[in-house]
C-alpha cells in the first residue's frame, strides 16, 4: 500500500511537526465503517521498517473489517491484536507503547465506553511521548468527549476526482480532513486527494460551498503548489 510513502502537505500543519508526531492523536470517522481514517493514520507514521501494533475491539472488527495486511507491503510489518473489550484495547496499546522499537501504535474503539475517559487518554499520551512512538486512536460511532489527545481529527470520504481518461470511471480518492483541536498546530479544514503517480497525498484548503467536492480540485492543488 502506497499510503506508507505519502507526503504530507497540510497548510498550517508542518510535515514534520516535532513532538506532535510522537504523541496521542485521536480520529473521529464521519461514517462508522469508513477506512479513510486508517489510511490517514498510516500516512502520518514515520517512514521506516519498524513494526506497527494494531489493536481492534470486537465491534470495530465486526463492523469495519480487518486491515488488508497484504496491501500494506513488506516494509511495514503489522502486529495484529484482536480483543473483545475497549478496556483490553487500551491496556494493549499502553503496554505496546512501552516498546521503543515499534513504529507506531494504532487502536480502534467503537462508541463511547466509560473506560475511555480523560485519564485513559492521558496515560496513552504520556506513554507515547516518553517512548517516542506515535499513537493513533480511531473512534468509530463516537463523540468528541473530554480527551487528553494532543491532536484531534475528523475524517470522512468524499467523491473521487474525475478520471483523466474515462468520465465513467472514478479518479483519485479524496477525503475531508479537519483538525478541530491541537496543542501543536493551527486547526483547519482541508480536502485530501491521493496522487498515485507521485505517490503522495495533497491537501488543499476546504471551501465553504463544497465546490471542490463536485469539481476536480485541480485549481486548488495548483494554488497549493
Amino acid at each position: 500500500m502506497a499510503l506508507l510513502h505519502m507526503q504530507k502537505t497540510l497548510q498550517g500543519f508542518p510535515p514534520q511537526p516535532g513532538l506532535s508526531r510522537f504523541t496521542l492523536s485521536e480520529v473521529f470517522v464521519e461514517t462508522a465503517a469508513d477506512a479513510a481514517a486508517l489510511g490517514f493514520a498510516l500516512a502520518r507514521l514515520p517512514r521506516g521498517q519498524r513494526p506497527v501494533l494494531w489493536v481492534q475491539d470486537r465491534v470495530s472488527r465486526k463492523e469495519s473489517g480487518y486491515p488488508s495486511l497484504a496491501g500494506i507491503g513488506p516494509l511495514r510489518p503489522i502486529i495484529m491484536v484482536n480483543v473483545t473489550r475497549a478496556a483490553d484495547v487500551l491496556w494493549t496499546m499502553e503496554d505496546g507503547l512501552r516498546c521503543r522499537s515499534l513504529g507506531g501504535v494504532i487502536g480502534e474503539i467503537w462508541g463511547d465506553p466509560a473506560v475511555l475517559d480523560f485519564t485513559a487518554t492521558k496515560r496513552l499520551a504520556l506513554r507515547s511521548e516518553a517512548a517516542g512512538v506515535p499513537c493513533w486512536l480511531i473512534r468509530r460511532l463516537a463523540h468528541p468527549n473530554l480527551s487528553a489527545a494532543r491532536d484531534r481529527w475528523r475524517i470522512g470520504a468524499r467523491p473521487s476526482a474525475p478520471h483523466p481518461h474515462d468520465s465513467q470511471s472514478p479518479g483519485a480518492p479524496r477525503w475531508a480532513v479537519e483538525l478541530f483541536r491541537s496543542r501543536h498546530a493551527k486547526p483547519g479544514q482541508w480536502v485530501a486527494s491521493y496522487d498515485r503517480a507521485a505517490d503522495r497525498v495533497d491537501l488543499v484548503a476546504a471551501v465553504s460551498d463544497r465546490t471542490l467536492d463536485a469539481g476536480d480540485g485541480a485549481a486548488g492543488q495548483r494554488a497549493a503548489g
Side-chain angles (χ1 to χ4, degrees):
M1 179 183 288
L3 288 170
L4 296 176
H5 306 291
M6 291 177 180
Q7 298 175 2
K8 283 68 71 178
T9 57
L10 279 81
Q11 298 174 357
F13 195 85
Q16 304 291 336
L19 184 60
S20 66
R21 297 179 66 214
F22 304 103
T23 187
L24 173 63
S25 299
E26 197 172 22
V27 178
F28 296 86
V29 298
E30 188 174 272
T31 304
D34 196 340
L38 294 176
F40 185 79
L42 284 171
R44 295 295 298 171
L45 292 179
R47 296 183 183 182
Q49 300 182 16
R50 294 192 295 170
V52 173
L53 176 65
W54 197 318
V55 193
Q56 289 181 308
D57 65 7
R58 183 184 63 84
V59 181
S60 295
R61 187 167 64 253
K62 179 180 177 180
E63 297 295 332
S64 62
Y66 294 86
S68 177
L69 302 184
I72 293 176
L75 296 181
R76 176 71 75 178
I78 302 294
I79 303 171
M80 286 298 307
V81 178
N82 299 320
V83 296
T84 301
R85 306 175 304 162
D88 298 325
V89 174
L90 295 171
W91 183 89
T92 305
M93 293 176 68
E94 186 176 340
D95 200 47
L97 288 170
R98 300 173 187 269
C99 179
R100 298 175 182 269
S101 297
L102 290 176
V105 173
I106 298 176
E108 297 181 63
I109 291 181
W110 190 275
D112 300 306
V115 69
L116 184 53
D117 56 12
F118 182 85
T119 300
T121 55
K122 183 71 171 182
R123 291 173 65 92
L124 289 177
L126 293 178
R127 289 286 187 193
S128 174
E129 292 164 0
V133 176
C135 181
W136 287 81
L137 181 59
I138 310 300
R139 305 286 307 279
R140 300 186 182 278
L141 207 66
H143 299 86
N145 40 22
L146 189 63
S147 172
R150 310 311 194 202
D151 295 321
R152 307 187 81 187
W153 301 84
R154 292 189 185 95
I155 299 179
R158 286 294 178 265
S160 63
H163 195 283
H165 307 297
D166 186 352
S167 60
Q168 302 300 314
S169 299
R174 295 193 298 199
W175 307 274
V177 177
E178 178 188 2
L179 179 66
F180 66 91
R181 185 171 298 171
S182 176
R183 295 192 181 186
H184 307 281
K186 181 179 178 181
Q189 296 180 342
W190 300 269
V191 173
S193 64
Y194 177 48
D195 186 334
R196 291 186 176 90
D199 193 16
R200 71 168 185 245
V201 165
D202 294 315
L203 296 104
V204 297
V207 291
S208 59
D209 61 3
R210 302 172 71 87
T211 55
L212 190 59
D213 286 348
D216 62 7
Q221 290 183 13
R222 287 194 295 269

